[in-house]
PDB file of all heavy atoms in Angstrom:
ATOM      1  N   LYS D   4      12.211   2.072  10.580  1.00  0.00           N
ATOM      2  CA  LYS D   4      11.887   2.887   9.426  1.00  0.00           C
ATOM      3  C   LYS D   4      13.167   2.994   8.476  1.00  0.00           C
ATOM      4  O   LYS D   4      13.075   2.917   7.296  1.00  0.00           O
ATOM      5  CB  LYS D   4      11.427   4.282   9.829  1.00  0.00           C
ATOM      6  CG  LYS D   4      10.086   4.285  10.597  1.00  0.00           C
ATOM      7  CD  LYS D   4       9.702   5.666  10.983  1.00  0.00           C
ATOM      8  CE  LYS D   4       8.376   5.694  11.736  1.00  0.00           C
ATOM      9  NZ  LYS D   4       7.985   7.057  12.122  1.00  0.00           N
ATOM     10  N   SER D   5      14.355   3.173   9.126  1.00  0.00           N
ATOM     11  CA  SER D   5      15.548   3.268   8.330  1.00  0.00           C
ATOM     12  C   SER D   5      15.794   1.966   7.591  1.00  0.00           C
ATOM     13  O   SER D   5      16.212   1.965   6.413  1.00  0.00           O
ATOM     14  CB  SER D   5      16.773   3.591   9.288  1.00  0.00           C
ATOM     15  OG  SER D   5      16.544   4.841   9.916  1.00  0.00           O
ATOM     16  N   ASN D   6      15.538   0.834   8.245  1.00  0.00           N
ATOM     17  CA  ASN D   6      15.747  -0.454   7.586  1.00  0.00           C
ATOM     18  C   ASN D   6      14.811  -0.588   6.404  1.00  0.00           C
ATOM     19  O   ASN D   6      15.167  -1.176   5.365  1.00  0.00           O
ATOM     20  CB  ASN D   6      15.490  -1.589   8.594  1.00  0.00           C
ATOM     21  CG  ASN D   6      16.570  -1.658   9.647  1.00  0.00           C
ATOM     22  OD1 ASN D   6      17.689  -1.180   9.405  1.00  0.00           O
ATOM     23  ND2 ASN D   6      16.267  -2.267  10.799  1.00  0.00           N
ATOM     24  N   GLU D   7      13.568  -0.099   6.530  1.00  0.00           N
ATOM     25  CA  GLU D   7      12.581  -0.191   5.454  1.00  0.00           C
ATOM     26  C   GLU D   7      13.055   0.656   4.261  1.00  0.00           C
ATOM     27  O   GLU D   7      12.964   0.204   3.124  1.00  0.00           O
ATOM     28  CB  GLU D   7      11.220   0.260   5.932  1.00  0.00           C
ATOM     29  CG  GLU D   7      10.144   0.100   4.897  1.00  0.00           C
ATOM     30  CD  GLU D   7       8.748   0.416   5.409  1.00  0.00           C
ATOM     31  OE1 GLU D   7       8.587   0.418   6.616  1.00  0.00           O
ATOM     32  OE2 GLU D   7       7.869   0.680   4.596  1.00  0.00           O
ATOM     33  N   ILE D   8      13.549   1.831   4.521  1.00  0.00           N
ATOM     34  CA  ILE D   8      14.024   2.718   3.451  1.00  0.00           C
ATOM     35  C   ILE D   8      15.175   2.078   2.684  1.00  0.00           C
ATOM     36  O   ILE D   8      15.226   2.129   1.468  1.00  0.00           O
ATOM     37  CB  ILE D   8      14.440   4.097   4.027  1.00  0.00           C
ATOM     38  CG1 ILE D   8      13.225   4.830   4.537  1.00  0.00           C
ATOM     39  CG2 ILE D   8      15.139   4.941   2.919  1.00  0.00           C
ATOM     40  CD1 ILE D   8      13.552   6.143   5.266  1.00  0.00           C
ATOM     41  N   THR D   9      16.134   1.469   3.380  1.00  0.00           N
ATOM     42  CA  THR D   9      17.246   0.805   2.720  1.00  0.00           C
ATOM     43  C   THR D   9      16.809  -0.460   2.005  1.00  0.00           C
ATOM     44  O   THR D   9      17.448  -0.886   1.042  1.00  0.00           O
ATOM     45  CB  THR D   9      18.379   0.534   3.719  1.00  0.00           C
ATOM     46  OG1 THR D   9      17.852  -0.317   4.767  1.00  0.00           O
ATOM     47  CG2 THR D   9      18.904   1.808   4.326  1.00  0.00           C
ATOM     48  N   ALA D  10      15.768  -1.137   2.484  1.00  0.00           N
ATOM     49  CA  ALA D  10      15.321  -2.396   1.901  1.00  0.00           C
ATOM     50  C   ALA D  10      14.605  -2.151   0.531  1.00  0.00           C
ATOM     51  O   ALA D  10      14.661  -3.034  -0.353  1.00  0.00           O
ATOM     52  CB  ALA D  10      14.417  -3.155   2.885  1.00  0.00           C
ATOM     53  N   ILE D  11      13.930  -1.024   0.430  1.00  0.00           N
ATOM     54  CA  ILE D  11      13.126  -0.767  -0.788  1.00  0.00           C
ATOM     55  C   ILE D  11      14.008  -0.788  -2.009  1.00  0.00           C
ATOM     56  O   ILE D  11      13.643  -1.442  -3.036  1.00  0.00           O
ATOM     57  CB  ILE D  11      12.307   0.516  -0.653  1.00  0.00           C
ATOM     58  CG1 ILE D  11      11.200   0.339   0.398  1.00  0.00           C
ATOM     59  CG2 ILE D  11      11.669   0.921  -2.018  1.00  0.00           C
ATOM     60  CD1 ILE D  11      10.442   1.638   0.725  1.00  0.00           C
ATOM     61  N   PRO D  12      15.124  -0.024  -2.095  1.00  0.00           N
ATOM     62  CA  PRO D  12      15.973  -0.085  -3.270  1.00  0.00           C
ATOM     63  C   PRO D  12      16.458  -1.511  -3.617  1.00  0.00           C
ATOM     64  O   PRO D  12      16.546  -1.840  -4.785  1.00  0.00           O
ATOM     65  CB  PRO D  12      17.114   0.854  -2.964  1.00  0.00           C
ATOM     66  CG  PRO D  12      16.562   1.762  -1.889  1.00  0.00           C
ATOM     67  CD  PRO D  12      15.648   0.935  -1.119  1.00  0.00           C
ATOM     68  N   LYS D  13      16.778  -2.283  -2.606  1.00  0.00           N
ATOM     69  CA  LYS D  13      17.262  -3.657  -2.834  1.00  0.00           C
ATOM     70  C   LYS D  13      16.171  -4.460  -3.491  1.00  0.00           C
ATOM     71  O   LYS D  13      16.404  -5.263  -4.416  1.00  0.00           O
ATOM     72  CB  LYS D  13      17.700  -4.308  -1.492  1.00  0.00           C
ATOM     73  CG  LYS D  13      18.896  -3.619  -0.898  1.00  0.00           C
ATOM     74  CD  LYS D  13      19.245  -4.277   0.416  1.00  0.00           C
ATOM     75  CE  LYS D  13      20.478  -3.601   1.052  1.00  0.00           C
ATOM     76  NZ  LYS D  13      20.795  -4.180   2.370  1.00  0.00           N
ATOM     77  N   LEU D  14      14.925  -4.268  -2.970  1.00  0.00           N
ATOM     78  CA  LEU D  14      13.816  -5.015  -3.601  1.00  0.00           C
ATOM     79  C   LEU D  14      13.565  -4.574  -5.042  1.00  0.00           C
ATOM     80  O   LEU D  14      13.363  -5.433  -5.943  1.00  0.00           O
ATOM     81  CB  LEU D  14      12.542  -4.797  -2.749  1.00  0.00           C
ATOM     82  CG  LEU D  14      11.236  -5.433  -3.258  1.00  0.00           C
ATOM     83  CD1 LEU D  14      11.412  -6.947  -3.402  1.00  0.00           C
ATOM     84  CD2 LEU D  14      10.081  -5.071  -2.368  1.00  0.00           C
ATOM     85  N   LEU D  15      13.600  -3.286  -5.273  1.00  0.00           N
ATOM     86  CA  LEU D  15      13.344  -2.761  -6.644  1.00  0.00           C
ATOM     87  C   LEU D  15      14.431  -3.274  -7.603  1.00  0.00           C
ATOM     88  O   LEU D  15      14.096  -3.604  -8.715  1.00  0.00           O
ATOM     89  CB  LEU D  15      13.374  -1.239  -6.596  1.00  0.00           C
ATOM     90  CG  LEU D  15      12.212  -0.599  -5.845  1.00  0.00           C
ATOM     91  CD1 LEU D  15      12.363   0.945  -5.828  1.00  0.00           C
ATOM     92  CD2 LEU D  15      10.854  -0.917  -6.429  1.00  0.00           C
ATOM     93  N   ASN D  16      15.638  -3.324  -7.149  1.00  0.00           N
ATOM     94  CA  ASN D  16      16.719  -3.841  -8.001  1.00  0.00           C
ATOM     95  C   ASN D  16      16.601  -5.249  -8.363  1.00  0.00           C
ATOM     96  O   ASN D  16      17.083  -5.717  -9.391  1.00  0.00           O
ATOM     97  CB  ASN D  16      18.094  -3.544  -7.310  1.00  0.00           C
ATOM     98  CG  ASN D  16      18.622  -2.179  -7.540  1.00  0.00           C
ATOM     99  OD1 ASN D  16      18.497  -1.620  -8.662  1.00  0.00           O
ATOM    100  ND2 ASN D  16      19.129  -1.558  -6.499  1.00  0.00           N
ATOM    101  N   ALA D  17      15.917  -6.018  -7.474  1.00  0.00           N
ATOM    102  CA  ALA D  17      15.764  -7.470  -7.698  1.00  0.00           C
ATOM    103  C   ALA D  17      14.600  -7.830  -8.622  1.00  0.00           C
ATOM    104  O   ALA D  17      14.433  -8.959  -9.045  1.00  0.00           O
ATOM    105  CB  ALA D  17      15.593  -8.180  -6.356  1.00  0.00           C
ATOM    106  N   LEU D  18      13.725  -6.817  -8.942  1.00  0.00           N
ATOM    107  CA  LEU D  18      12.549  -7.066  -9.723  1.00  0.00           C
ATOM    108  C   LEU D  18      12.660  -6.526 -11.116  1.00  0.00           C
ATOM    109  O   LEU D  18      13.370  -5.548 -11.399  1.00  0.00           O
ATOM    110  CB  LEU D  18      11.351  -6.379  -9.054  1.00  0.00           C
ATOM    111  CG  LEU D  18      10.991  -6.865  -7.617  1.00  0.00           C
ATOM    112  CD1 LEU D  18       9.895  -6.010  -7.026  1.00  0.00           C
ATOM    113  CD2 LEU D  18      10.543  -8.341  -7.666  1.00  0.00           C
ATOM    114  N   GLU D  19      11.947  -7.190 -12.048  1.00  0.00           N
ATOM    115  CA  GLU D  19      11.809  -6.677 -13.462  1.00  0.00           C
ATOM    116  C   GLU D  19      10.582  -5.794 -13.488  1.00  0.00           C
ATOM    117  O   GLU D  19       9.437  -6.247 -13.365  1.00  0.00           O
ATOM    118  CB  GLU D  19      11.632  -7.884 -14.392  1.00  0.00           C
ATOM    119  CG  GLU D  19      11.386  -7.426 -15.837  1.00  0.00           C
ATOM    120  CD  GLU D  19      12.441  -6.488 -16.376  1.00  0.00           C
ATOM    121  OE1 GLU D  19      13.618  -6.839 -16.330  1.00  0.00           O
ATOM    122  OE2 GLU D  19      12.062  -5.397 -16.767  1.00  0.00           O
ATOM    123  N   LEU D  20      10.803  -4.499 -13.589  1.00  0.00           N
ATOM    124  CA  LEU D  20       9.730  -3.518 -13.445  1.00  0.00           C
ATOM    125  C   LEU D  20       9.323  -2.808 -14.712  1.00  0.00           C
ATOM    126  O   LEU D  20       8.369  -2.004 -14.696  1.00  0.00           O
ATOM    127  CB  LEU D  20      10.141  -2.471 -12.402  1.00  0.00           C
ATOM    128  CG  LEU D  20      10.477  -2.984 -10.993  1.00  0.00           C
ATOM    129  CD1 LEU D  20      10.990  -1.833 -10.125  1.00  0.00           C
ATOM    130  CD2 LEU D  20       9.248  -3.598 -10.367  1.00  0.00           C
ATOM    131  N   ALA D  21       9.986  -3.019 -15.797  1.00  0.00           N
ATOM    132  CA  ALA D  21       9.716  -2.300 -17.037  1.00  0.00           C
ATOM    133  C   ALA D  21       8.267  -2.367 -17.439  1.00  0.00           C
ATOM    134  O   ALA D  21       7.663  -3.473 -17.476  1.00  0.00           O
ATOM    135  CB  ALA D  21      10.593  -2.870 -18.154  1.00  0.00           C
ATOM    136  N   GLY D  22       7.641  -1.189 -17.636  1.00  0.00           N
ATOM    137  CA  GLY D  22       6.262  -1.076 -18.076  1.00  0.00           C
ATOM    138  C   GLY D  22       5.259  -1.201 -16.968  1.00  0.00           C
ATOM    139  O   GLY D  22       4.035  -1.155 -17.258  1.00  0.00           O
TER     140      GLY D  22
END
Side-chain angles (χ1 to χ4, degrees):
K4 294 180 179 179
S5 299
N6 290 338
E7 184 174 341
I8 292 174
T9 57
I11 292 174
K13 295 178 182 178
L14 175 61
L15 293 175
N16 276 319
L18 298 174
E19 174 55 56
L20 300 175

